[in-house]
């Protein structure tokens, strides 16, 4: 999408269209929509954190960083979700294997990012944005889980998307991105795909899962995204990873597996026997 379209404005348009479609669907299904100031405040906080902050930083950084690298770094959101899920009175205890997985993940990211900067794939500030992104995504996920609103999860997600669309469109216009908008078919097809599959379907499903499963289980979505991104990046965009970056890839994925399995086993041990 960002090959020919400006990042914030294109993301804003994507979210405005997707949010409108999702809200119309929620209305058609008879879902209860957000109705109170408290609900809207919570929704805005999560929207700004996850969609404007986390997703916005990824969109912006991918002007320079290859999609496969970006997806691998963003996969560390699973590690942040597992760690943040251990905090507070509602938290799940962190075991030694979890700590080990977190340390492995940090090492894998350092290897991946370090090689990317050394090879000149992208400027350092783009990698910094990608490192902040999964932290914000995890923070928004945990806040949403800990502070649920009364409306249906899909209506909640739809409102978040619409809020993000408004904010990111304003940012795009403020940055003068309207002058950089082009009608290149390749990027418009990507915009359409991200609107329908990446937002209406994928984000709607993810946000439903936020309220259905544990933080560790929620993070397992990160097993799939990097693999798909690396395959598609190689196939469609001729993206390549160095040997060191491939090593970092396996370390990151292994760390996510370790953290998720450790958290799941810890939860099983904590459950009363029947």
């Amino acid at each position: 999408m960002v090959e020919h379209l400006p990042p914030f404005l294109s993301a804003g348009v994507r979210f405005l269209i997707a949010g409108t479609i999702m809200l119309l669907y929620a209305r058609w299904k008879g879902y209860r929509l957000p109705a109170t100031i408290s609900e809207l405040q919570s929704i805005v906080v999560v929207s700004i954190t996850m969609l404007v902050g986390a997703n916005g930083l990824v969109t912006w950084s991918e002007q320079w960083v290859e999609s496969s690298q970006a997806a691998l770094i963003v996969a560390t959101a699973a590690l942040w979700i597992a760690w943040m899920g251990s905090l507070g009175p509602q938290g799940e205890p962190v075991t030694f294997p979890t700590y080990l997985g977190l340390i492995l993940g940090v090492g894998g990211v350092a290897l991946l990012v370090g090689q990317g900067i050394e090879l000149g794939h992208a400027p350092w500030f783009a990698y910094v944005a990608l490192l902040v992104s999964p932290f914000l995504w995890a923070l928004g996920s945990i806040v949403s889980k800990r502070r649920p609103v009364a409306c249906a999860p899909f209506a909640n997600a739809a409102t978040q998307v619409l809020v993000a669309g408004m904010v990111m469109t304003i940012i795009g216009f403020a940055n003068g991105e309207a002058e950089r908008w082009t009608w290149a078919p390749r990027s418009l097809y990507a915009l359409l795909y991200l609107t329908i599959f990446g937002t209406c379907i994928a984000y709607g499903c993810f946000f439903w899962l936020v309220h259905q499963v544990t933080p560790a289980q929620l993070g397992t979505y990160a097993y799939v995204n990097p693999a798909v991104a690396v395959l598609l990046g190689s196939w469609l965009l001729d993206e390549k990873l160095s040997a060191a970056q491939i090593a970092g890839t396996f370390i990151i994925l292994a760390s996510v597996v370790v953290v998720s399995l450790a958290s799941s086993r810890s939860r099983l041990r904590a459950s009363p026997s029947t």
Side-chain angles (χ1 to χ4, degrees), residues 10 12 27 38 60 64 71 73 75 97 106 130 139 157 175 208 212 221 223:
S10 60
R27 186 73 176 177
S38 176
W60 177 77
W64 304 281
I73 296 171
V106 171
L130 281 174
L139 179 62
N175 284 340
W208 177 79
Q212 301 296 321
Y221 82 94
Y223 298 165

Side-chain angles (χ1 to χ4, degrees), residues 74-100:
V74 170
T76 58
L79 309 181
W80 287 113
I81 289 173
W83 176 70
M84 290 182 185
S86 70
L87 303 178
Q90 304 176 49
E92 301 174 11
V94 177
T95 63
F96 174 76
T98 300
Y99 278 120
L100 178 61

Side-chain angles (χ1 to χ4, degrees), residues 16-211:
L16 284 176
I17 297 173
T20 301
I21 294 172
M22 293 170 73
L23 275 178
L24 290 174
Y25 177 79
R27 186 73 176 177
W28 176 66
K29 293 289 291 184
Y31 295 147
R32 180 187 176 281
L33 301 180
T36 68
I37 296 298
S38 176
E39 287 179 335
L40 290 174
Q41 286 176 338
S42 296
I43 286 171
V44 168
V45 168
V46 174
S47 176
I48 296 297
T49 306
M50 295 181 68
L51 296 177
V52 177
N55 192 273
L57 287 175
V58 172
T59 304
W60 177 77
S61 67
E62 285 194 350
Q63 295 176 101
W64 304 281
V65 181
E66 294 180 342
S67 60
S68 55
Q69 292 184 53
L72 290 165
I73 296 171
V74 170
T76 58
L79 309 181
W80 287 113
I81 289 173
W83 176 70
M84 290 182 185
S86 70
L87 303 178
Q90 304 176 49
E92 301 174 11
V94 177
T95 63
F96 174 76
T98 300
Y99 278 120
L100 178 61
L102 292 171
I103 294 171
L104 279 174
V106 171
V109 169
L111 186 58
L112 190 69
V113 171
Q115 272 288 298
I117 294 176
E118 183 179 338
L119 296 173
H121 285 169
W124 64 267
F125 52 79
Y127 285 107
V128 171
L130 281 174
L131 292 173
V132 174
S133 172
F135 174 83
L136 292 177
W137 185 269
L139 179 62
S141 299
I142 296 300
V143 168
S144 179
K145 188 173 183 66
R146 299 278 177 86
R147 297 179 57 186
V149 297
C151 65
F154 190 84
N156 187 346
T159 310
Q160 289 178 33
V161 171
L162 198 58
V163 169
M166 295 176 186
V167 173
M168 297 187 82
T169 299
I170 291 172
I171 293 174
F173 278 115
N175 284 340
E177 290 187 352
E179 299 176 359
R180 295 165 49 196
W181 186 278
T182 63
W183 298 98
R186 179 181 173 91
S187 289
L188 293 176
Y189 293 148
L191 177 63
L192 178 62
Y193 174 85
L194 288 170
T195 299
I196 301 301
F197 293 97
T199 308
C200 291
I201 297 175
Y203 189 68
C205 291
F206 177 84
F207 202 77
W208 177 79
L209 284 171
V210 166
H211 300 281

